[in-house]
Amino acid sequence: MLGNYFKIAIRNLLKHRGYTLINILGLVAGLACCILILLYVLDELRFDAFHAKAGRIFRVVEVRSTPDRGDQHNARSVAPLGPAIEAEFPEVAASVRMLQLFRVTMQFRGNRFYEGDYLLSEPSFFKIFDFEFLRGNPETALAEPRSVVLTEAAARKYFGEEDPLGNTLRAEAFGDLKVTAILKDLPPNSHLHFSMLISFGSMEHINWWAPFLNEWNPNYRTVITYLLLQEPAAAPALAAKLPAFLSKHRGEADWPLKDLYLQPLRDIHFRSGHIAFERNHNQGEIAYIYIFSAIALLIVLIAGINYMNLAAARALNRAREVGVRKVVGASRFQLAGQFLSESLLLVALAFLLALFVVELVLPFFNAFVGKQITLGQALQPEAIFTFLGLTVLVGLLSGSYPAFFLSRLQAVRVLKGGAEKLTRISNLRRALVVLQFILSVVMMIAALVVYQQMNYVRNKHLGFDREHLMVIDINSNNVRRHAETMKAEMRRNPAVLAVSVTNRVPGDWKNIATIDALPGDAPSSTAHTMYLLAVDREFVETYGVRLAAGENFSGRGGDSLSVLINEAAARALGWENPLGKEIRIPRADLEGGGSSKADFRARVIGVVEDFHFKSLYEKIEPLVLAWQDNPFDRIDYFSVKVRGTNLAATLDFLREIGERFDPDHPFEYNFLDERLNDFYRRDQKLGQLFGIAALLAIFIACMGLFGLAAFMAGQRTKEIGIRKALGATVASLIALLSKDFAKLVLIANLIAWPLAWYVMNRWLEDFAYRIEIGWWVFALAGALALLIALLTVSYQAIKAALANPVEALRYE
Amino acid sequence: MIRLKNIFKYYSNKFVKTYVLQDNSLEIREGEFVTIMGPSGAGKSTLLHIMGMLDSPSSGEYYFYGEPVHRLGEKQRTELHKRRIGFVFQSYHLIDELTVYENLETPLLYQKVKAGERKSMVAEILDRFHMAAKKDLFPQQLSGGQQQLAAIARALIIQPKLILADEPTGNLNSRQGEEIMQVFKQLNEAGTTIVQVTHSERNAAYSERIIHLLDGRIVEDAPVSLVGVAGE
Ligand SMILES: Nc1ncnc2c1ncn2[C@@H]1O[C@H](COP(=O)(O)OP(=O)(O)O)[C@@H](O)[C@H]1O
Ligand SMILES: [Mg+2]
């Protein structure tokens, strides 16, 4: 029976090649897109799944709450925390601490690199996490101070062909590190990423480090702590006991209120957007998984609708077959089975082709999403099941309309030729076309809006000049000490327009420090959280920041008792005229460390106009510009305003100065405008994704429209012949045939517009600074959809209109 | 075999009922060869479809071998007709995408006949209609007469008790028509009940009884000899 179904299915497919081609093309496009997205989603969902104990591993996260900024989550904890939890709670099987420090130079013979991608950790690391060993012993690899475990890639980088095991790597600050083991290169979907692990004990000889290892003072939070529980279910109960545990050890009630919770390992990749100071390689976002999945579903839906629509278009041809089969004894059930197996066959065929297409575009896709997915490795059981399920689902869905509609036909009716009624385009089919175009237009509008917002973000004046600003990292104290001398040297080159040193730069891609600040005479409880930039006299000039009132730092001494503030800070402090007022910063409480117990008091000498020192996702918040010598933070960057011409020469000039004052570190620089764009990279990708999806959706929808138009033109051959014989012009015939479809696309637009408007306004709400969606966006998307649809239909319409009327009439 | 009692059939559109069959009662015994005649639109096909359970009457009773068909659901009716009734149409109604062989095989598939048995049954009927050489051709590659022969072969393959033929020779020339009528005659002699619709007096002469239908009513029902149709 099935053989018979397939036989007739294949003959039908071959007989109506054009129809088959349209159908398969649409399905292939839809399925390929869907498979790609599924591969992506599955790959994301597999993050950190390779650890055998993944379900029992948790990361400790601290929460601090302030009235100004609400809850602030922080992945760092104090060093004694892990061992203490492990010792006091039997439900904790093991704990491990990891520490990431400043970059250091490392060297083996001539191979010297500036290494930032290392972690310090303890032997328990390998008890908790499963990273594959190529050589060495997991039990002992990190036991001794000054041991290092290298990944394959790092081993090759430093040791080349030589055997690293037992050899030593010379590291700045740590001394000679003995290589004790080699790890296989880390799997790409691991949130922990490092090129080497150095034993925790390697810190012990560094004197200033001691308090960081022993203190419960939250200013000393430096390590990331992971716990291995006896069983996952113990987590909530344990978390509930942590606040009491913490206050017992911290003792003083004086620390700002803190809470602790346990974040499951498998959540880290997706749900850490709100957590600061973490290590999270290739961090993902669960919202993107939802968006991606939704797009995949929509595209498959559109392709499935196509199938239904085309099948319905051919219902007339099939109706007679249905009648005959019923007469010779087919039951409804058997007929439905036939049409379902036909669509399953077609979808399976399309699926194989789609796999082929996926294989072809995978390299581009990988480049786009920054992954290394291969079809071979992706085809694991869950993927295969998902794909099989997808094929069957699409097959059944697409086949359902012909199956249930056609199998219900009455044999007598269709055999008598009463099938004319079927040939009219039913309302269901109209609705399906409308639905396809709604989806297409929504995606088109989404792409346009994202594009516009990204354009806005790129071109908005930020309150400072971002062009031609080179940011040079300060990597040594020698440079810090000689910063003024270096600035003078840099300025000697006429291509250098201005130079400034600061602790952070506006739009910093790292975190900008925060402080608590309040009017000098106000009670401490009224403090506001503010951002802090430590600057010099040239900052205002270099960045082109405008002074709203008062004056800049003098540069002649006494500046360390003065501050500038921005307008937002003046508002927060409630000062109409801030000039000359005293500002008090109660306690150094910088997230990054540094401590001074005395209150810091300074006089406001100037107010700068608000500028966007963070991304446009965020409102401009209060900012204090303190002198570069301050108790909170030290200078870390040169910002050099250069002429746009002959950049290479200027760069060489600056590099020479940098390397002269810091021979130990490679010269590091960035162009500020490029780094600023990094903020928006993900949304830019989202926009591109919508664009591609919209194109695909339109393409598939048009395939369906094309088939439908062909069918309709075929149905109306006789009518067209008569009209032509009566003298109708070709243009009027094309209009006649296209009108119906134009109406459908217009209706689709009317529904798509409010939908897109709503959805895209929700998206825009993420940005504190955003565009208004203009009416022309809707008009443009609508006009495009209409144009494409009409072009598609007109081919058929023109063909029909140009046909010889006698030919058409002779058929009857 | 067939007993119709007070059969009505109407189509209603926009509150107007048009009656196609009005209060017809009829009995057909096993082994009869019956012809239904009447002008176009008289309701002949409708009556035939009701007998073949492809359509159901608006009211009235229908007993097939004593079974009350009017009380059965679609599924049970399909079960009933697919084993016992073979249909032949004016326009053959073969499936274009299937070869002659596959067309003949189709009814057996729906009766879930085993593959080996199917093969021998199809081969046997092809032999009987001298069509073995044409079994791999598609319907369009056959002449009209051959197509109708294939259609009859398909109707016969299930060894039906009853054959319902709606103008089976309407699209054929007289020589081809003759051939079909011979086949019917032989079948009838072998015991198969046949009900045919035809406009041709000549074809009617092959049967034993003629029913005249006019505007949905049986106006005459008599043996051929009494109606006075001349045989060959
Ligand atoms: N589905 C239908 N809806 C309305 N009227 C119908 C339908 N099918 C048949 N008829 C009408 O029923 C009448 C009888 O049809 P039919 O039995 O085919 O006549 P015959 O076979 O005698 O020429 C005709 O007038 C025809 O128009
Ligand atoms: Mg008729």
Side-chain angles (χ1 to χ4, degrees), chain A residues 365-386:
Chain A
F365 183 75
N366 275 333
F368 179 66
V369 296
K371 283 195 179 289
Q372 298 126 44
I373 303 169
T374 64
L375 208 48
Q377 105 198 10
L379 288 182
Q380 289 174 16
E382 76 259 35
I384 292 173
F385 278 127
T386 315

Side-chain angles (χ1 to χ4, degrees), chain A residues 90-294:
Chain A
E91 57 267 48
V92 178
S95 73
V96 65
R97 296 169 292 177
M98 278 167 228
L99 178 62
Q100 176 189 12
L101 286 176
F102 42 81
R103 287 168 303 174
V104 296
T105 50
M106 294 201 184
Q107 180 168 18
F108 175 75
R109 302 234 174 90
N111 297 333
R112 180 165 150 235
F113 299 97
Y114 200 37
E115 195 65 63
D117 195 23
Y118 67 90
L119 272 180
L120 287 130
S121 195
E122 312 173 273
S124 56
F125 185 90
F126 296 116
K127 257 193 251 163
I128 296 176
F129 299 108
D130 294 296
F131 291 104
E132 203 176 319
F133 271 71
L134 291 178
R135 309 184 53 192
N137 181 350
E139 306 272 316
T140 57
L142 291 174
E144 298 289 316
R146 302 194 191 177
S147 304
V148 64
V149 175
L150 300 177
T151 60
E152 259 180 298
R156 214 173 308 115
K157 176 166 139 191
Y158 286 95
F159 294 92
E161 293 306 304
E162 238 165 302
D163 184 5
L165 224 59
N167 246 320
T168 55
L169 195 60
R170 170 151 302 165
E172 181 193 2
F174 300 111
D176 285 351
L177 301 174
K178 186 168 150 229
V179 180
T180 54
I182 310 289
L183 293 181
K184 196 162 180 233
D185 281 336
L186 309 188
N189 43 14
S190 165
H191 89 279
L192 283 174
H193 193 86
F194 49 85
S195 61
M196 58 182 80
L197 284 173
I198 300 173
S199 57
F200 218 62
S202 314
M203 297 295 299
E204 277 163 5
H205 68 286
I206 305 175
N207 286 333
W208 55 265
W209 184 245
F212 287 91
L213 280 179
N214 306 314
E215 289 259 358
W216 283 84
N217 178 341
N219 285 336
Y220 291 125
R221 287 174 301 175
T222 48
V223 300
I224 302 179
T225 305
Y226 291 81
L227 303 178
L228 175 68
L229 301 193
Q230 301 287 8
E231 49 180 328
L238 177 61
K241 292 183 230 163
L242 287 178
F245 161 84
L246 203 59
S247 56
K248 181 177 95 191
H249 284 282
R250 287 203 175 144
E252 294 176 60
D254 200 21
W255 304 122
L257 179 68
K258 300 269 170 32
D259 189 12
L260 277 185
Y261 67 93
L262 304 178
Q263 184 184 29
L265 176 72
R266 297 292 300 277
D267 276 3
I268 293 176
H269 175 63
F270 282 124
R271 302 177 192 272
S272 298
H274 56 297
I275 298 175
F277 299 105
E278 54 160 9
R279 247 186 110 86
N280 200 340
H281 181 68
N282 270 344
Q283 188 181 339
E285 197 165 333
I286 198 78
Y288 278 59
I289 295 296
Y290 295 144
I291 292 177
F292 270 47
S293 307

Side-chain angles (χ1 to χ4, degrees), chain A residues 605-639:
Chain A
I605 56 164
V607 179
V608 295
E609 286 182 12
D610 281 342
F611 61 95
H612 292 274
F613 58 93
K614 299 184 84 184
S615 77
L616 294 176
Y617 292 108
E618 287 159 90
K619 276 233 160 317
I620 297 179
E621 290 187 76
L623 172 72
V624 174
L625 296 157
W627 184 242
Q628 51 177 309
D629 279 331
N630 65 64
F632 312 109
D633 207 0
R634 55 187 190 168
I635 55 170
D636 245 345
Y637 298 101
F638 290 102
S639 304

Side-chain angles (χ1 to χ4, degrees), chain A residues 1 4-5 7-8 11-12 15-16 320-321 324-332 334-335 338 407 410-412 415-416, chain B residues 11 46 49 54-55 74 78 81-82 87 89 91 93-99 102 105-107 109-110 112 138 140 154:
Chain A
M1 185 58 91
N4 187 275
Y5 289 167
K7 200 151 48 186
I8 200 163
R11 290 201 190 130
N12 253 317
K15 191 166 163 199
H16 306 276
R320 205 182 63 88
E321 180 193 332
V324 174
R325 285 181 182 273
K326 281 203 162 176
V327 166
V328 301
S331 67
R332 251 195 92 177
Q334 285 165 320
L335 284 168
Q338 178 186 346
S407 70
Q410 260 198 329
V412 213
L415 291 183
K416 263 198 306 206
Chain B
Y11 293 101
T46 308
H49 292 145
L54 296 178
D55 207 349
E74 187 194 318
T78 304
H81 88 68
K82 82 175 181 192
F87 289 91
F89 301 93
S91 45
H93 288 322
L94 295 167
I95 298 176
D96 293 338
E97 284 80 10
L98 296 181
T99 61
E102 288 157 357
E105 188 185 26
T106 307
L109 289 171
Y110 290 123
K112 306 209 167 67
F138 287 91
Q140 298 95 315
R154 185 181 63 187

Side-chain angles (χ1 to χ4, degrees), chain A residues 49 61 144 219 222 231 507 579 668 725 779 783-784 806:
Chain A
V61 180
E144 298 289 316
N219 285 336
T222 48
E231 49 180 328
L579 297 182
E668 285 188 299
L784 266 177
V806 183

